[in-house]
Amino acid sequence: MSRNQGMDRRQMLKLAGFSAAGLGLTAAGCGSGGGSNGPVTIRHAWWGADDRAKKVQECVALFEKKHPKIKVKTDFQQYPDFWKKFNTQAAGGNPPDVIQNAVTFLRKYEAKNVLLDLNPQAKKGNLELEGFRAGLEKFAEIDGKLLGVPVGSNSMALVIDEKVFEKAGVDHGLGWTWDDWYAGLQKIKSGQGIAGDSGPHGVMYLYDLILRQNGKAFFTEEGMGFGENELLPYWTEALARVKSGVYADQKKVEQIKPASALAKGLSAGEFTWDNFSVRYSAEGKSSYSLAPIPTTDGKKTGQYLGSLMLSGTARTKHPAEVATFISFMTHDPAVARIMGYDRGVPATTAQFEAFQPTDAPSKAIGAYETEIAKAGVLEPITPHPAGADVVEAAFLRIGGDMSLGKASPEDSVKQFFSEAKTALASN
Amino acid sequence: MERSGPGRKTRPAPQPRGHRENLTGYLFMSPWIAGFLFLIAGPMVFSLYLAFTDYNLFDAPKWVGLKNFTDMFADPRWRQSVKVTSWYVVIGTPVKLAAALAVAMLLAQKRWGQSFYRAAFYAPSLIGASVSAAIVWRALFSDDAVVDRGQQLFGIDAGGWIGDPQMIIYALVALTVWQFGAPMVIFLAGLKQVPRELYEAAEVDGAGPWRRFWSITLPMISPVLFFNVLLETIHSFQIFASAYIVSNGSCGPADATLVYTCYLYDQGFANSRMGFASAMAWLLLVAVGLVTAVLFWSQKRWVHYEEGGR
């Protein structure tokens, strides 16, 4: 304030006039350019951990350099926490503009009009839809609306501790059967003294494959694609295998979470998404590779390409910028060089060719996906009804509780179907 | 309150306040009143309404009457959450208070380094509410961690407590007992108020330490004890963060740490059943209210107030 002491009233007024004129000029400048020309900020939320955060941040920096008028604010959580936060934000009418998404959630949020239809943006040229690898371009199309764009593809696989499998002399090749697999587990248990598998009975995506090998599926358009008669023998058998030590000690599996049982040496194998082997290699001491999904008839694996995708949200004020960002993340070769196989094998050919893996786990993933594509075993994904996310969580939890001896397989199966019914009805 | 205090009796009777003065008062209170109305009362009324609806966060709430409540009683996981919480309140609260009182009695005695010990014992409850303490707890009680190795020294090879549905709840009780600082400080204040003469007289009459504890200490500090029991019981009913974090967000294994609020949170935010969660919240409020009422009713039998004050 003391600085103004030397100024008289007239000078002050003059100064005020100047700044008012200045303000008027800037306002005019804004007005003539139209709303979309000013700097725009969009929010991007995703799930994952710190290493993914660094990579995403690097991509965003690159994007902002290429599109100086768009700023991207990012936010991330662990997978379950991510959805809890997103539910709340979306219900409050303030969801992030761009989210990482998965097939389990598509119908749920489509039914609630949360997701942005990207088709109009593609028509306007803000979103490039050419150049996706086979089977991926229509991945998130529901009822004619394009609700997401895949960033990478992944498939279920058996991630194995290569050293243990080798020492035990277990052969694993495309077309091997469940009997072959189980004989291998017993060989590992008796010869190497560790469990052959972490316990696959709570993994919804694996059970889906088993059902599909038998002409069914976990979900149909309407709801559940299987009944108590199918699940009961599967879980009864699983409990026996946990007790006999062929599957890992579930108490120990529980306490090392969120680390994986395989990486911590509690088991020699685990059914999961193929891109997880990158993470396991960082976590564990052994060397990990991928084995194909066992089959019933030696041919049909039931596999399909799953995918992480990017979706816009319907409430966004900047659909064009959202589409531009998604297009950049899915097509720009530089993004692939930064992200690697972190979110699966890149979905577009441009990105697939831009990243040549040099580390063993990434190489194995590339080889695995090429192999299953060549074998012609891939099928289209079955749609997941709204509420599928809650069903998946219930399957994992109740299967886990049962294997800890909390409830009998009969009660567990009943409890699962009762919870699944509630989830599908209320979502 | 102030006017009835000692030494205030000579104060002249207050002048009747003017309308203006009242207005000023309300004006100064308005931020609090607004906050109360919009952040507490409003949401509470809305949540009471939601308790009778089916509300998935996105579609408009559908009135379902008492369905949420009947669903609740039929739900085995809800019953499990009631069981776990009741067990935790009934076991955890007395053990915590006993620990707090025992340490307070040790610290009430004059000895060298007294203030250091007081600070040291109080410290855990300062960091207690934080997430980090729960994370450390998870690490301590995991397989092959400190506690497991300690057990092995005694030839007990049971593995960690975190993955064991039978044991994990004890880890939670241990965590709450460890954070006894707040009731301890209150006990300490209560113990300081007990007149020395009573102990001296009892000693002359030949009363041993136990006798003095039962006949003098406990009755004399019973108002403080009552206060602590009340506060800690209500607090125990609301346990959330420690259960959520020690179990890695699963409230497991096998629902062993599925405390009431954990299930409420899961139903509301993960399963999008906000109506059900609201119904649960209101039932908890009623239950805590009932327990509080019972405690107040029972205090007539065991809490001794000095007549007429001092």
Side-chain angles (χ1 to χ4, degrees):
Chain A
M1 291 310 265
S2 59
R3 269 196 209 164
N4 285 346
Q5 276 171 352
M7 239 186 239
D8 67 8
R9 204 178 137 81
R10 196 168 295 164
Q11 273 175 307
M12 281 289 282
L13 279 175
K14 247 189 215 165
L15 209 72
F18 259 124
S19 24
L23 276 175
L25 275 177
T26 21
C30 264
S32 67
S36 63
N37 264 2
V40 153
T41 303
I42 57 173
R43 287 149 62 216
H44 173 37
W46 48 273
W47 70 82
D50 293 347
D51 58 330
R52 186 176 287 174
K54 274 181 214 138
K55 291 174 183 167
V56 170
Q57 217 51 55
E58 230 177 292
C59 295
V60 164
L62 201 64
F63 175 76
E64 286 178 339
K65 206 186 253 174
K66 287 194 179 175
H67 302 267
K69 287 190 173 160
I70 311 176
K71 297 264 165 273
V72 183
K73 269 169 54 177
T74 61
D75 177 30
F76 75 98
Q77 267 89 32
Q78 298 283 336
Y79 179 76
D81 299 323
F82 174 85
W83 291 108
K84 282 172 190 164
K85 183 168 179 182
F86 180 72
N87 276 340
T88 319
Q89 286 177 323
N94 187 32
D97 302 282
V98 180
I99 57 161
Q100 187 169 299
N101 202 355
V103 69
T104 328
F105 301 90
L106 280 180
R107 275 193 191 274
K108 171 176 181 161
Y109 291 122
E110 158 58 10
K112 293 165 175 54
N113 289 319
V114 172
L115 300 178
L116 179 72
D117 181 7
L118 289 164
N119 271 330
Q121 292 303 324
K123 276 192 199 109
K124 281 184 199 159
N126 293 326
L127 174 65
E128 174 67 59
L129 286 182
E130 298 291 311
F132 279 91
R133 286 164 52 227
L136 287 169
E137 56 279 86
K138 301 265 175 189
F139 192 81
E141 205 166 66
I142 284 186
D143 305 335
K145 288 184 187 170
L146 187 63
L147 301 177
V149 177
V151 286
S153 68
N154 34 41
S155 189
M156 285 299 282
L158 173 61
V159 182
I160 57 169
D161 187 325
E162 219 172 12
K163 286 180 189 163
V164 179
F165 263 68
E166 208 168 284
K167 266 189 212 156
V170 177
D171 290 330
H172 48 81
L174 205 62
W176 67 332
T177 65
W178 289 105
D179 291 337
D180 298 336
W181 168 75
Y182 189 58
L185 296 194
Q186 284 173 313
K187 221 169 166 183
I188 288 168
K189 173 71 188 159
S190 55
Q192 308 298 310
I194 78 162
D197 195 282
S198 304
H201 45 277
V203 185
M204 179 189 86
Y205 284 100
L206 176 70
Y207 192 55
D208 188 24
L209 299 191
I210 294 174
L211 287 167
R212 290 160 68 106
Q213 290 180 3
N214 293 292
K216 301 210 163 192
F218 202 99
F219 292 117
T220 63
E221 296 264 0
E222 290 80 35
M224 308 297 295
F226 65 106
E228 297 189 8
N229 292 342
E230 272 107 14
L231 186 55
L232 184 58
Y234 183 62
W235 273 1
T236 310
E237 194 178 67
L239 183 61
R241 289 174 180 180
V242 169
K243 283 185 176 158
S244 70
V246 176
Y247 291 172
D249 180 345
Q250 298 298 302
K251 279 186 194 170
K252 296 199 170 177
V253 172
E254 191 64 41
Q255 34 206 327
I256 51 144
K257 278 177 187 170
S260 94
L262 173 63
K264 292 287 170 188
L266 295 177
S267 71
E270 200 163 296
F271 288 99
T272 186
W273 296 105
D274 52 9
N275 60 324
F276 275 46
S277 62
V278 178
R279 197 191 106 194
Y280 291 0
S281 300
E283 258 175 32
K285 290 185 191 117
S286 192
S287 52
Y288 305 91
S289 69
L290 299 165
I293 301 290
T295 61
T296 310
D297 61 358
K299 287 198 288 276
K300 191 174 157 78
T301 62
Q303 271 169 294
Y304 44 83
L305 287 183
S307 168
L308 291 183
M309 54 186 105
L310 294 178
S311 295
T313 52
R315 284 251 189 168
T316 182
K317 292 191 187 91
H318 312 292
E321 285 79 4
V322 162
T324 310
F325 178 66
I326 293 178
S327 206
F328 171 82
M329 290 299 275
T330 44
H331 290 275
D332 199 298
V335 169
R337 284 190 284 268
I338 296 169
M339 298 300 296
Y341 288 174
D342 181 86
R343 299 201 274 203
V345 176
T348 54
T349 28
Q351 289 198 341
F352 181 71
E353 279 158 15
F355 175 70
Q356 296 299 329
T358 48
D359 58 309
S362 295
K363 274 185 185 167
I365 296 169
Y368 178 75
E369 293 219 356
T370 313
E371 188 185 31
I372 56 170
K374 268 193 199 144
V377 296
L378 288 176
E379 300 174 12
I381 192 164
T382 33
H384 290 191
D389 54 327
V390 180
V391 176
E392 183 188 358
F395 193 75
L396 182 65
R397 191 191 71 246
I398 297 171
D401 289 0
M402 179 209 64
S403 60
L404 280 161
K406 189 210 169 194
S408 69
E410 286 82 8
D411 291 345
S412 303
V413 168
K414 284 213 177 71
Q415 173 74 9
F416 168 70
F417 277 97
S418 136
E419 283 190 31
K421 220 177 95 190
T422 313
L424 295 180
S426 64
N427 267 275
Chain B
M1 292 297 274
E2 209 178 81
R3 263 180 275 149
S4 64
R8 298 274 178 187
K9 295 227 166 95
T10 51
R11 210 172 107 166
Q15 299 290 317
R17 286 174 210 279
H19 189 66
R20 257 184 94 88
E21 216 173 321
N22 276 343
L23 200 71
T24 319
Y26 283 121
L27 203 68
F28 274 111
M29 272 168 72
S30 60
W32 183 85
I33 293 174
F36 175 76
L37 286 179
F38 289 109
L39 300 175
I40 298 174
M44 272 183 83
V45 171
F46 188 52
S47 130
L48 184 61
Y49 162 68
L50 287 182
F52 299 98
T53 65
D54 184 0
Y55 179 47
N56 63 14
L57 279 172
F58 295 95
D59 305 317
K62 269 197 305 269
W63 186 265
V64 293
L66 291 173
K67 187 175 177 293
N68 285 327
F69 293 92
T70 49
D71 279 1
M72 218 182 281
F73 294 118
D75 179 356
R77 290 194 84 204
W78 179 82
R79 291 201 297 269
Q80 168 75 3
S81 77
V82 171
K83 224 167 77 186
V84 172
T85 311
S86 313
W87 191 93
Y88 177 82
V89 171
V90 170
I91 305 293
T93 313
V95 177
K96 181 179 187 175
L97 290 177
L101 181 56
V103 176
M105 286 176 68
L106 287 176
L107 293 180
Q109 294 160 15
K110 280 217 166 68
R111 62 178 70 220
W112 186 78
Q114 193 192 38
S115 28
F116 167 76
Y117 286 118
R118 285 184 186 174
F121 278 109
Y122 187 68
S125 35
L126 280 179
I127 54 167
S130 77
V131 168
S132 55
I135 293 175
V136 170
W137 221 251
R138 183 177 162 78
L140 284 178
F141 284 91
S142 278
D143 197 34
D144 211 28
V146 181
V147 174
D148 188 21
R149 289 191 185 181
Q151 285 174 172
Q152 283 170 19
L153 287 182
F154 296 97
I156 312 164
D157 193 8
W161 296 17
I162 299 297
D164 190 333
Q166 309 284 329
M167 294 304 289
I168 185 168
I169 189 80
Y170 293 101
L172 285 190
V173 169
L175 177 56
T176 181
V177 170
W178 180 63
Q179 296 164 352
F180 60 64
M184 180 198 78
V185 168
I186 296 168
F187 276 134
L188 206 51
L191 289 169
K192 289 274 168 197
Q193 300 292 317
V194 183
R196 299 274 100 200
E197 311 91 73
L198 290 178
Y199 290 111
E200 283 158 17
E203 247 173 289
V204 171
D205 288 344
W210 272 111
R211 181 80 203 172
R212 274 177 275 156
F213 176 72
W214 284 113
S215 301
I216 301 173
T217 311
L218 265 191
M220 289 302 287
I221 63 161
S222 59
V224 169
L225 183 62
F226 173 66
F227 177 79
N228 270 339
V229 167
L230 200 66
L231 228 58
E232 289 303 322
T233 307
I234 295 173
H235 195 67
S236 293
F237 270 112
Q238 296 167 340
I239 174 193
F240 174 74
S242 56
Y244 189 76
I245 291 156
V246 170
S247 69
N248 192 34
S250 72
C251 309
D255 287 346
T257 55
L258 188 73
V259 294
Y260 199 83
T261 49
C262 218
Y263 191 46
L264 191 160
Y265 177 72
D266 207 43
Q267 286 291 326
F269 292 94
N271 293 6
S272 308
R273 295 176 75 194
M274 271 299 163
F276 188 85
S278 297
M280 278 187 75
W282 275 91
L283 211 64
L284 178 66
L285 185 78
V286 170
V288 171
L290 277 179
V291 171
T292 311
V294 168
L295 283 175
F296 264 102
W297 169 80
S298 78
Q299 67 154 338
K300 285 179 217 138
R301 285 147 205 273
W302 61 275
V303 180
H304 308 279
Y305 294 101
E306 275 182 87
E307 267 172 53
R310 291 209 292 149

